[in-house]
Amino acid sequence: MKTSLLFLLSTLLYLPLIAQDTTKNWIETTAKITEIHNNIKARNTRSFATVSYLGIDGKEYKSRVELLAIPFIGTLKSIDDSVTVYYDPANPTLAKSPETSFLQSYGLYLLIGAGILISLYNFRNKFGGDAT
């Protein structure tokens, strides 16, 4: 039973890691924030920035990336700050920010995994404690 639950939990946490590797061939560069847009709603806060950066061809490109946002506040970044972005060399105007990738991609899975572990621990202590 324990090995089945451990296998199920590890599979659920590992599968999103495989499916989310979209920046494999993308190029990392430093971009400058030119505009910031905060979208603050009741339970959802998202911040976007318009950034400019130089591509490997020496041309300047502009794109919009999502920034890490604090609920009800927005981002702590400001205009003229530098951020790291990844852009697609086949389409340099397509960029994304790595700072939101981990939390947005895996945050829900981490919370679910933590909830399962806490529930299993409490269940074991309540029903399977010291039966010897």
Side-chain angles (χ1 to χ4, degrees):
M1 171 95 170
K2 288 181 184 179
T3 56
S4 299
L5 290 174
L6 184 61
F7 175 75
L8 179 63
L9 180 62
S10 63
T11 304
L12 288 174
L13 291 175
Y14 181 70
L15 284 177
L17 294 173
I18 296 171
Q20 294 288 329
D21 190 16
T22 59
T23 59
K24 187 174 184 179
N25 297 322
W26 290 33
I27 297 172
E28 180 179 340
T29 190
T30 302
K32 183 178 179 182
I33 297 176
T34 57
E35 295 177 40
I36 293 180
H37 311 279
N38 288 313
N39 185 4
I40 300 173
K41 293 185 179 177
R43 292 186 179 194
N44 191 11
T45 301
R46 297 179 79 180
S47 293
F48 298 93
T50 302
V51 295
S52 63
Y53 51 92
L54 290 176
I56 56 173
D57 57 2
K59 294 181 183 177
E60 184 176 353
Y61 295 98
K62 287 190 176 193
S63 185
R64 192 173 213 188
V65 295
E66 189 166 359
L67 300 174
L68 185 63
I70 299 171
F72 303 109
I73 296 173
T75 185
L76 298 178
K77 300 283 186 183
S78 59
I79 294 176
D80 291 332
D81 281 353
S82 294
V83 292
T84 301
V85 295
Y86 290 100
Y87 71 91
D88 185 1
N91 183 5
T93 58
L94 184 60
K96 72 184 220 175
S97 176
E99 66 183 37
T100 58
S101 298
F102 181 78
L103 288 176
Q104 289 183 344
S105 297
Y106 312 121
L108 181 60
Y109 297 107
L110 292 173
L111 287 174
I112 291 171
I116 290 171
L117 290 176
I118 291 169
S119 298
L120 289 173
Y121 178 77
N122 289 335
F123 182 79
R124 190 180 120 226
N125 283 343
K126 187 169 186 175
F127 295 111
D130 298 322
T132 57

